[in-house]
Amino acid sequence: YFGARRTHGRDAALACARALSIAGYVGTSNLEAGQRLGIPVVGTVAHSYIEAHPDEEQAFIRFAEHYPGTTLLVDTYDTLHAVQRIIALSHRLGERFKVGGIRLDSGDRATLARQSRSLLDAAGLTDVRIVASGNLDEYRVAALRAARAPIDVFGVGTAVSVVADGPSLEAAYKLVSYNGRDCGKLSPGKVSLPGPKQVYRIMEGNSAIGDVIARRDEAVMGEPLLHCVMRKGCRLPSASPGLSASRAHLAAGLDRLPARLQSLSDAAQPYPVAVSQALLAAQSRFQQLHSEDT
Amino acid sequence: YFGARRTHGRDAALACARALSIAGYVGTSNLEAGQRLGIPVVGTVAHSYIEAHPDEEQAFIRFAEHYPGTTLLVDTYDTLHAVQRIIALSHRLGERFKVGGIRLDSGDRATLARQSRSLLDAAGLTDVRIVASGNLDEYRVAALRAARAPIDVFGVGTAVSVVADGPSLEAAYKLVSYNGRDCGKLSPGKVSLPGPKQVYRIMEGNSAIGDVIARRDEAVMGEPLLHCVMRKGCRLPSASPGLSASRAHLAAGLDRLPARLQSLSDAAQPYPVAVSQALLAAQSRFQQLHSEDT
């Protein structure tokens, strides 16, 4: 995950690194997230580092000396030329050559990855990995994988830091119960379902077949998904399971969703979510109560 | 400005309140921004406050007692009904009635504003202002103004906190000079203009007619727009002029732009920005230098 500079400030950068670690990203370039959250820190050389040297060769030599095992950025001037420089460097350094990877940050990554892989393999550098970055998103990563481009690592930034197809979250907290009394809103187009709720997931074998939103005290088949995380203004210890438990919980949850929902395009048969009879009845009672009041 | 809950964390909420204050917004609902930056704090009652009371009337009475001069939110259940409750309250309280405004947060704001204005005026409440909010953006505000809806204040949140039509900023820092030497990138599609630069704004009377991007040391007619803000790693005092000076600077700058650019739609005749001959020559020298190197 390479997106810290695109997030809306430091809070967001940390929240993003944390969320992506739970989602399964293996590392972050955000040192603060590494230190605070224990997420493995990964990184490569910057274009400005290469530019700050009189030529690319000196920049590569200097960086590889400082950080053996590093990934060198090869697209500042001419990608394949840069790969050839690295091969020349490997000949010169012999055993002392430790470069771990090259990074392709622009251009046609599928073609450049194939050409770079050929050059590296021909020079015996089969261990040098290929990292792709630069405006990647889920669709571009899927296309590169479908094209079987020899890319070992994807670095994603902007597209997961600020999600262009869903930039603002319309979700908002709505009061539905106060002091044991159901409450809600009746503004046109914004009517809420009054009362405390539970969501039940209906399973068939190890696969979820649908959810039911119900009253919290209603008896419904299925596994309750909501757990109490705060009581009397204090977060419960069970509400902070830690990064690795969260990652495992997410992975298990995704695993139980039918395969048709695990796709980048809309599922032909959407996942069914029902509202219970008791909840609809409560809403009708609430509306009636309010119309008597006015 | 009502958008703090939509921003990506606390940093972003503060940065947003600050930027919007410079842009001319008169207040913020973000208390932290009020305290830290001295931006006037404004606010109204929340839906949850109304819902937490057994009925709307009790909620209005209680809130108006706590905050005389407040703006009451009228769309929780039925907007015009709520306006009538406020009128009834004014009859009951007489001199002690201090409500300053009503807020329309959903539905057809133009129609509701007209209907509410009629009811309020007929009751002699001509001083009670009408505030509109709820998913407003520049286009909806312009439409409400074009329709001459009697709205005194617009509260905007989501649309300025996370801008859906430009959620991520592609701008990035690029090294163009290091230790007195021009540098740049030659990656296809990402070629940069090497060397330190200045931007000159060409004026005709009090109106800007175009900009020229030039070498920093080049003699070009016009007013230089870039000023040094940091020297030897320290921010210069002149780089922090304060909110009111920044607001005045922005207003003066906007004032000098031709009217055709001060529109929500694309200008028929775009603003011309030229690149100087010396800058193009420097780029060509840089490219040649690099091709000799490879």
Side-chain angles (χ1 to χ4, degrees):
Chain A
Y1 167 54
F2 285 175
R5 65 179 177 157
R6 303 295 194 192
T7 60
H8 296 183
R10 286 160 294 183
D11 300 350
L14 281 169
C16 208
R18 182 177 177 279
L20 293 170
S21 169
I22 290 173
Y25 281 55
V26 297
T28 177
S29 65
N30 183 342
L31 294 174
E32 183 81 5
Q35 204 151 47
R36 284 209 212 174
L37 307 170
I39 301 172
V41 168
V42 295
T44 85
V45 61
H47 284 116
S48 56
Y49 184 94
I50 310 273
E51 288 182 48
H53 286 77
D55 62 47
E56 196 178 42
E57 187 176 19
Q58 289 184 49
F60 283 173
I61 292 171
R62 190 76 65 88
F63 202 77
E65 264 172 17
H66 277 299
Y67 303 104
T70 193
T71 296
L72 292 175
L73 177 60
V74 291
D75 77 324
T76 309
Y77 306 116
D78 180 310
T79 298
L80 296 178
H81 225 100
V83 173
Q84 276 156 343
R85 277 192 214 287
I86 291 169
I87 291 168
L89 191 65
S90 79
H91 292 320
R92 191 131 60 84
L93 293 180
E95 285 292 296
R96 289 179 298 122
F97 179 84
K98 303 276 185 213
V99 171
I102 62 164
R103 176 158 71 103
L104 308 170
D105 189 53
S106 60
D108 172 359
R109 260 63 53 100
T111 304
L112 290 170
R114 267 186 218 103
Q115 292 169 332
S116 301
R117 188 74 272 158
S118 299
L119 290 172
L120 292 167
D121 288 353
L125 299 177
T126 51
D127 287 351
V128 171
R129 299 197 299 170
I130 296 183
V131 180
S133 62
N135 272 323
L136 296 181
D137 61 16
E138 64 273 40
Y139 300 102
R140 292 192 185 116
V141 169
L144 288 167
R145 288 174 63 101
R148 300 185 169 279
I151 295 168
D152 304 290
V153 178
F154 295 94
V156 181
T158 309
V160 287
S161 304
V162 184
V163 180
D165 55 2
S168 63
L169 190 62
E170 265 310 305
Y173 131 81
K174 300 286 175 199
L175 194 69
V176 292
S177 174
Y178 187 79
N179 212 7
R181 184 177 51 77
D182 279 6
C183 46
K185 269 170 81 178
L186 295 172
S187 325
K190 294 189 168 185
V191 176
S192 46
L193 289 166
K197 299 175 193 66
Q198 179 56 275
V199 180
Y200 295 91
R201 180 145 295 174
I202 320 293
M203 302 294 295
E204 203 170 76
N206 193 38
S207 188
I209 57 168
D211 291 352
V212 179
I213 305 173
R215 301 275 296 175
R216 189 170 63 195
D217 50 14
E218 202 179 339
V220 171
M221 297 281 287
E223 186 190 325
L225 298 184
L226 304 179
H227 300 284
C228 184
V229 293
M230 189 173 266
R231 191 157 276 149
K232 292 185 190 298
C234 291
R235 217 175 149 88
L236 301 176
S238 62
S240 307
L243 274 188
S244 62
S246 296
R247 202 180 297 125
H249 179 72
L250 173 68
L254 284 174
D255 220 43
R256 289 162 30 150
L257 289 183
R260 72 178 195 280
L261 302 179
Q262 308 202 16
S263 144
L264 293 178
S265 48
D266 285 349
Q269 193 195 334
Y271 187 72
V273 177
V275 171
S276 80
Q277 289 302 316
L279 202 47
L280 291 175
Q283 184 178 40
S284 154
R285 269 199 312 279
F286 178 77
Q287 266 172 324
Q288 208 172 339
L289 208 106
H290 177 78
S291 66
E292 283 163 14
D293 167 48
T294 58
Chain B
Y1 167 54
F2 285 175
R5 65 180 175 156
R6 304 295 193 193
T7 61
H8 297 183
R10 286 159 296 182
D11 299 352
L14 281 170
C16 208
R18 182 177 176 279
L20 293 171
S21 170
I22 291 173
Y25 280 55
V26 297
T28 176
S29 65
N30 183 341
L31 295 173
E32 183 82 5
Q35 203 151 47
R36 284 211 213 173
L37 307 169
I39 301 172
V41 168
V42 295
T44 86
V45 61
H47 284 116
S48 56
Y49 184 93
I50 310 272
E51 287 183 48
H53 286 76
D55 60 48
E56 197 178 41
E57 188 177 21
Q58 288 184 49
F60 283 174
I61 292 173
R62 189 78 64 87
F63 202 77
E65 263 172 19
H66 278 300
Y67 304 103
T70 192
T71 297
L72 291 175
L73 177 60
V74 290
D75 77 324
T76 310
Y77 305 116
D78 179 309
T79 298
L80 296 179
H81 224 101
V83 174
Q84 276 157 341
R85 276 192 213 286
I86 291 170
I87 291 168
L89 192 64
S90 79
H91 293 320
R92 190 131 60 85
L93 292 180
E95 285 293 295
R96 288 177 299 124
F97 179 84
K98 304 275 185 215
V99 171
I102 62 163
R103 176 157 72 100
L104 308 170
D105 189 53
S106 59
D108 172 359
R109 260 63 53 102
T111 303
L112 289 171
R114 268 187 218 105
Q115 292 171 330
S116 302
R117 188 74 273 161
S118 298
L119 291 172
L120 292 168
D121 289 354
L125 300 177
T126 51
D127 287 351
V128 171
R129 300 198 298 173
I130 296 182
V131 180
S133 63
N135 273 322
L136 296 180
D137 62 16
E138 63 272 41
Y139 300 102
R140 292 193 185 116
V141 169
L144 288 167
R145 288 173 63 101
R148 300 186 169 281
I151 294 168
D152 304 290
V153 178
F154 294 94
V156 181
T158 310
V160 286
S161 305
V162 184
V163 180
D165 55 1
S168 63
L169 190 62
E170 266 310 307
Y173 132 79
K174 300 286 174 199
L175 194 70
V176 291
S177 174
Y178 188 79
N179 212 6
R181 182 178 53 78
D182 281 5
C183 47
K185 269 170 79 177
L186 296 172
S187 324
K190 293 188 169 188
V191 176
S192 46
L193 289 166
K197 298 171 193 70
Q198 179 55 274
V199 180
Y200 294 92
R201 179 146 295 174
I202 319 294
M203 302 294 296
E204 203 170 75
N206 192 39
S207 189
I209 58 169
D211 291 350
V212 178
I213 305 173
R215 300 277 294 176
R216 190 170 63 193
D217 51 13
E218 200 177 341
V220 172
M221 297 281 287
E223 185 190 326
L225 298 184
L226 304 179
H227 301 283
C228 185
V229 293
M230 189 173 265
R231 191 158 276 146
K232 292 186 190 298
C234 291
R235 215 175 149 86
L236 302 177
S238 63
S240 307
L243 273 189
S244 62
S246 296
R247 202 181 295 126
H249 179 73
L250 173 68
L254 283 174
D255 220 44
R256 289 163 31 150
L257 289 183
R260 72 178 196 281
L261 301 179
Q262 308 201 15
S263 145
L264 292 178
S265 48
D266 286 348
Q269 192 195 333
Y271 187 72
V273 177
V275 172
S276 79
Q277 289 302 316
L279 202 47
L280 290 175
Q283 184 178 39
S284 154
R285 270 199 313 278
F286 177 78
Q287 266 172 324
Q288 209 173 337
L289 207 107
H290 177 78
S291 66
E292 283 163 15
D293 166 47
T294 58

